[in-house]
Amino acid sequence: MLAQRYKEVKNRVEKACIKAKRAPDSVRILPVSKTFGPDVLQEALDAGLRRFGENKVQEMKQKAEVFAEYPIDWVIIGYLQTNKAKEVARYASEVQSMDRLDLALALDKRLQLENRTLDVLVQVKTSPEQTKTGMSAEAVPAFLQELKAMQTLRPMGLMTVAENSDSEATVRACFAALRHLRQQCQDQTGLALPTLSMGMSGDFEWAIQEGSTEVRIGSAIFGQRDYA
Ligand SMILES: *Cc1c(COP(=O)(O)O)cnc(C)c1O
């Protein structure tokens, strides 16, 4: 069942790529396993998935320990408290919710101790909603310059969560803003920034039209969540 839903999402991603005149393999899917327990994770592993998005550090750590024998890449996509840097440095391979300097400094310090590196995406606030986190767009180029100077952090691109709206124009404007910001950051920093992480179960086809290279898919693969 999960394997079937994953296949359907993959087909929809490929169709959206073709519609956008993009290569069908130009968009990566990040399965978001947050809130789902070991049984569901096992089903996903049996379907061949090895990279998962989680929004809570404690939950990631528990799952990483249960499935320690699998080579899994854990990706943090939720707001990160600085005091969680130690666990993140130990268990995560990527953080997509990088949004401030003190967090970057804390992670860099911990990663040096663990002798590890971490891919990071800067999360950008592209919608006016109070509930949305992320750095304001104006601050991003200078922040990327600071990340570039840290030994253990590898800035790979930008991430955003679009406004929660039924209006295609409103949602696409958030995605377009992230694409434009990436161009500006590439010009100003010289970083390649290959990744634009944008699009979720409800809006990923629009995100692909706007240039997304990675869609974060929870409910369309794992089913409805009870909470969070
Ligand atoms: C939960 C979550 C997703 C996945 O959401 P779905 O709508 O279930 O696909 C994607 N990105 C972030 C940042 C999330 O917290």
Side-chain angles (χ1 to χ4, degrees):
M1 274 171 47
L2 188 147
Q4 181 58 30
R5 286 194 300 265
Y6 180 71
K7 211 172 125 194
E8 282 162 13
V9 168
K10 219 171 151 226
N11 287 340
R12 284 173 62 191
V13 165
E14 282 169 10
K15 276 210 186 98
C17 285
I18 290 164
K19 187 177 169 197
K21 300 191 167 53
R22 300 178 52 192
D25 61 355
S26 62
V27 177
R28 178 146 90 143
I29 298 168
L30 174 63
V32 175
S33 50
K34 68 184 185 195
T35 78
F36 290 96
D39 293 354
V40 178
L41 241 296
Q42 187 63 61
E43 208 183 333
L45 289 164
D46 292 344
L49 307 185
R50 292 291 184 274
R51 186 167 170 263
F52 300 103
E54 290 284 338
N55 67 340
K56 295 205 167 79
V57 174
Q58 189 59 27
E59 195 177 326
M60 169 192 67
K61 184 183 168 191
Q62 281 169 4
K63 290 175 185 173
E65 282 169 353
V66 172
F67 294 103
E69 76 269 30
Y70 288 89
I72 298 173
D73 285 330
W74 296 102
V75 181
I76 291 285
I77 59 170
Y79 178 80
L80 250 188
Q81 288 176 284
T82 304
N83 65 12
K84 299 288 196 313
K86 185 177 169 181
E87 281 80 20
V88 173
R90 189 160 294 170
Y91 294 98
S93 65
E94 182 176 344
V95 167
Q96 299 202 348
S97 46
M98 174 57 67
D99 62 356
R100 61 196 192 278
L101 185 58
D102 75 326
L103 176 63
L105 291 168
L107 279 172
D108 184 46
K109 195 169 141 191
R110 279 289 167 188
L111 286 157
Q112 288 187 37
L113 295 174
E114 299 279 341
N115 206 11
R116 294 190 73 203
T117 61
L118 191 70
D119 287 353
V120 296
L121 303 182
V122 176
Q123 182 173 354
V124 184
K125 188 165 160 27
T126 54
S127 99
E129 294 159 290
Q130 294 282 330
T131 52
K132 292 285 193 301
T133 56
M135 182 172 255
S136 68
E138 310 82 73
V140 176
F143 183 48
L144 281 167
Q145 291 287 11
E146 301 196 85
L147 292 179
K148 203 176 157 183
M150 295 182 201
Q151 288 171 24
T152 64
L153 300 182
R154 309 192 326 143
M156 302 301 286
L158 307 178
M159 181 273 241
T160 201
V161 178
E163 187 165 338
N164 190 1
S165 163
D166 293 332
S167 156
E168 178 172 350
T170 301
V171 172
R172 286 183 65 157
C174 297
F175 297 143
L178 199 72
R179 187 182 73 239
H180 292 134
L181 179 64
R182 173 173 67 163
Q183 182 66 57
Q184 186 195 331
C185 291
Q186 287 168 328
D187 295 345
Q188 289 185 25
T189 68
L191 287 163
L193 305 175
T195 306
L196 275 183
S197 172
M198 53 191 203
M200 320 195 334
S201 294
D203 58 16
F204 71 85
E205 278 132 333
W206 293 338
I208 290 170
Q209 293 296 311
E210 295 295 343
S212 171
T213 70
E214 178 159 331
V215 292
R216 307 176 308 270
I217 308 296
S219 49
I221 295 173
F222 290 92
Q224 285 304 318
R225 287 182 298 274
D226 296 335
Y227 61 98

